[in-house]
Amino acid sequence: CPVIATGRRRILTPEQEQDVVDRYSNSDSTATDIAKNYSVHRQTIQNALARPGVCTKANLIKRALTEEQRTLVAGHYRECGSTAKTRRVFHISQPRLRGILSEHGVVLTPGKRPTKSIDHDTFDVITPDGAYWIGFLFADGFVHYDDHGAGRLGTVLTEDDVSHVEKFRAFLKSNHEIGYDRAGKGKFPGGVSNRANARPTRRFSPRSAKLTAALVYHGMVETKALRAPSLELSASRDFWRGMVDGDGGLGTSTSKRDGTTAYFMLCGQSLLLGHFQDFLVRELNLYLEQSPTDSGIFVVSTTGSTAIDIIRLLYENSTVALERKNLRALKLLSGDLRPCEPYEHHREDRP
């Protein structure tokens, strides 16, 4: 379309301005869309719409709606029953539309049913499998509340352990997607990097206010250093197996004095490891010291027959566990101290 050029400004012809009004009023085209078509600035289109008094989004934002306009908005919604269509016609935001409808006593019709599902009652009663998954989340998971107070829980694991993420999703009876993050690109809620992981990661983080509240009730708060399990969980071997699958290690250790022996370790914050020390005293009459690491966390570790006793307590006849660590545990309990191939490509877990 030809455009009259006067100096640096471009002015539409009267016929073009009428075409702008017709297109804006009778289609879903925005002022920006029309401006691109005419190769002019968006403000030129808005001025063309303002001259004949066309109601535009920009004008509505700048001034309050009259009572007559508000009545028209409410009437339009009564006829079509769609907030999306009403907002598109009158160019107003969702909060503004809700306020107008509330003033006129209009009740919003229900929207479409949620497409995502999850069992929000999963942790109402703590089963052995439930205790395991809470333990795993204590070690390798998170809870997070956004600015609006909505609760979210989840975990981020490497691509190698995606099957374990799928098990967790199945346990929650969820159909939420498992996200994929390229190497070093994943983020926990709040923008915290997922430990600058050098490998791709898989992320599962559904929203659930009830599940998040249950986890917090059992001691899984947002800050890892303040996490401490409830009495019910601290006495559960399933909970501690989940912890070891997330932040622990088991395998073989070789020295000149002892040769090749089994080893066991669990890393974490001192407060949390204190509960594990108490658990070992109760179950095995065994006390292990905490040792600090260079990264600022602590570790409880042992080797030989003591390590085998702890592995047997946690993994023997278990119903759920991280596959690669469960495989290693079964081999150690059978007396096989040879390297476990599926386990070797993962990071070294020894302190």
Side-chain angles (χ1 to χ4, degrees), residues 140-281:
D140 250 350
F142 57 82
V143 290
H144 174 71
Y145 290 95
D146 63 20
D147 295 338
H148 303 287
R152 183 189 292 274
L153 68 150
T155 184
V156 178
L157 299 181
T158 63
E159 175 73 17
D160 299 324
D161 290 328
V162 63
S163 62
H164 206 57
V165 181
E166 293 169 346
K167 286 181 183 179
F168 180 47
R169 180 175 65 174
F171 173 74
L172 294 180
K173 300 176 183 177
S174 167
N175 64 351
H176 288 76
E177 294 180 359
I178 296 176
Y180 174 84
D181 295 311
R182 291 178 297 163
K185 299 297 183 181
K187 296 285 185 180
F188 288 122
V192 181
S193 174
N194 64 354
R195 293 173 261 176
N197 208 305
R199 287 172 291 165
T201 55
R202 303 304 294 264
R203 171 179 29 85
F204 176 64
S205 54
R207 292 184 184 274
S208 173
K210 190 171 184 180
L211 289 177
T212 304
L215 290 172
V216 172
Y217 172 80
H218 284 287
M220 187 178 162
V221 295
E222 288 190 63
T223 305
K224 255 194 168 185
L226 301 180
R227 292 180 183 177
S230 62
L231 290 176
E232 181 179 5
L233 292 177
S234 62
S236 169
R237 78 175 190 124
D238 301 288
F239 171 81
W240 292 114
R241 186 174 63 259
M243 276 287 303
V244 173
D245 278 355
D247 271 345
L250 49 144
T252 56
S253 176
T254 303
S255 66
K256 292 182 179 180
R257 186 186 68 178
D258 300 323
T260 301
T261 60
Y263 78 84
F264 169 89
M265 59 161 283
L266 177 61
C267 297
Q269 299 294 331
S270 181
L271 175 63
L272 187 56
L273 290 185
H275 288 270
F276 182 61
Q277 289 173 297
D278 294 340
F279 171 76
L280 293 180
V281 170

